[in-house]
Amino acid sequence: KAGVTQTPRYLIKTRGQQVTLSCSPISGHRSVSWYQQTPGQGLQFLFEYFSETQRNKGNFPGRFSGRQFSNSRSEMNVSTLELGDSALYLCASSSGRGVARGTDTQYFGPGTRLTVL
Amino acid sequence: KQEVTQIPAALSVPEGENLVLNCSFTDSAIYNLQWFRQDPGKGLTSLLLIQSSQREQTSGRLNASLDKSSGRSTLYIAASQPGDSATYLCAGAGRRALTFGSGTRLQVQP
């Protein structure tokens, strides 16, 4: 089975622009989560989707949004980019109904490295 | 709010040594505890998942334990190899999301 794929792998944007990142989960997985990783804050939870519904959201401003399609692929969007949004954005998928289901291993993609200039 | 701490932040050992990485968490109401490996600039690779009802899990040279009452988990790596060099992260699964520690950066010297 192919793993979690994320596109693009690298992005360079300028402040004020917006960006869309894409994540394709492992085939058959319906739960997709997004995390932001920075040297200062480590890995922080953004949001989780299951069957096209956002189940949970982390403590990020409304500039960060996401969605999930019927084929379980997910996108996240960041509007009005700030320098502090520079980070590695990681997507994870699992076969169960979400993070808090005991047995669900989270499988991570390689990430999208976003640099905001 | 769950907080996860990993000690030490960095570790350098000679090849062949057995080692233990530590992870502590403040909220014992976790559904599971997962250990991941991250190579520089890459995503996370799942190593082991311990359900809240379990005490340990083993995979090859890796053994992870979980003590919910004390809020601790350890990852034991036997007979370390240079290929084990990476950052190791633990994460507790709460009701909403995984909460990650800041990681232990391991360097195994040949």
Side-chain angles (χ1 to χ4, degrees):
Chain A
K1 258 186 187 177
V4 177
T5 58
Q6 294 187 243
T7 57
R9 293 293 312 278
Y10 302 92
L11 265 179
I12 299 176
K13 293 286 188 179
T14 57
R15 280 182 299 173
Q17 288 187 308
Q18 75 166 19
V19 66
T20 299
L21 313 181
S22 179
C23 170
S24 293
I26 292 172
S27 178
H29 286 192
R30 291 192 291 165
S31 173
V32 174
S33 299
W34 288 88
Y35 292 83
Q36 181 197 65
Q37 186 175 32
T38 59
Q41 299 296 319
L43 273 151
Q44 293 185 288
F45 171 70
L46 281 157
F47 21 66
E48 179 193 18
Y49 288 87
F50 179 80
S51 292
E52 302 178 68
T53 301
Q54 186 181 89
R55 295 165 60 93
N56 291 298
K57 190 176 191 303
N59 295 323
F60 279 81
R63 300 184 296 106
F64 291 82
S65 63
R67 59 178 176 169
Q68 186 180 34
F69 301 95
S70 58
N71 63 358
S72 294
R73 189 177 69 86
S74 177
E75 288 181 348
M76 67 163 282
N77 184 276
V78 187
S79 63
T80 319
L81 284 166
E82 301 177 359
L83 295 179
D85 297 333
S86 295
L88 180 65
Y89 289 87
L90 292 163
C91 161
S93 75
S94 68
S95 60
R97 296 182 61 82
V99 171
R101 293 299 181 269
T103 62
D104 291 348
T105 294
Q106 299 287 303
Y107 295 92
F108 281 79
T112 294
R113 172 75 61 184
L114 172 64
T115 301
V116 182
L117 303 177
Chain B
K1 180 188 171 189
Q2 177 74 273
E3 291 184 7
V4 179
T5 304
Q6 290 188 247
I7 295 173
L11 183 63
S12 181
V13 301
E15 181 177 3
E17 194 161 296
N18 302 324
L19 57 102
V20 175
L21 307 181
N22 296 293
C23 171
S24 61
F25 47 93
T26 55
D27 186 353
S28 62
I30 57 171
Y31 291 88
N32 63 59
L33 191 292
Q34 298 180 43
W35 284 91
F36 296 90
R37 166 187 173 139
Q38 186 174 32
D39 293 284
K42 303 289 181 63
L44 277 63
T45 301
S46 177
L47 297 174
L48 289 165
L49 179 149
I50 312 173
Q51 298 178 40
S52 62
S53 58
Q54 298 175 323
R55 295 296 295 237
E56 66 178 282
Q57 281 286 337
T58 298
S59 176
R61 296 182 294 107
L62 305 179
N63 176 276
S65 68
L66 175 63
D67 184 345
K68 284 182 62 178
S69 62
S70 66
R72 291 184 179 183
S73 177
T74 62
L75 179 67
Y76 175 83
I77 302 177
S80 59
Q81 302 170 358
D84 295 331
S85 298
T87 296
Y88 290 80
L89 295 141
C90 68
R95 195 166 47 84
R96 298 172 63 241
L98 292 176
T99 300
F100 283 86
S102 54
T104 294
R105 189 169 64 254
L106 173 65
Q107 183 73 36
V108 180
Q109 307 289 348

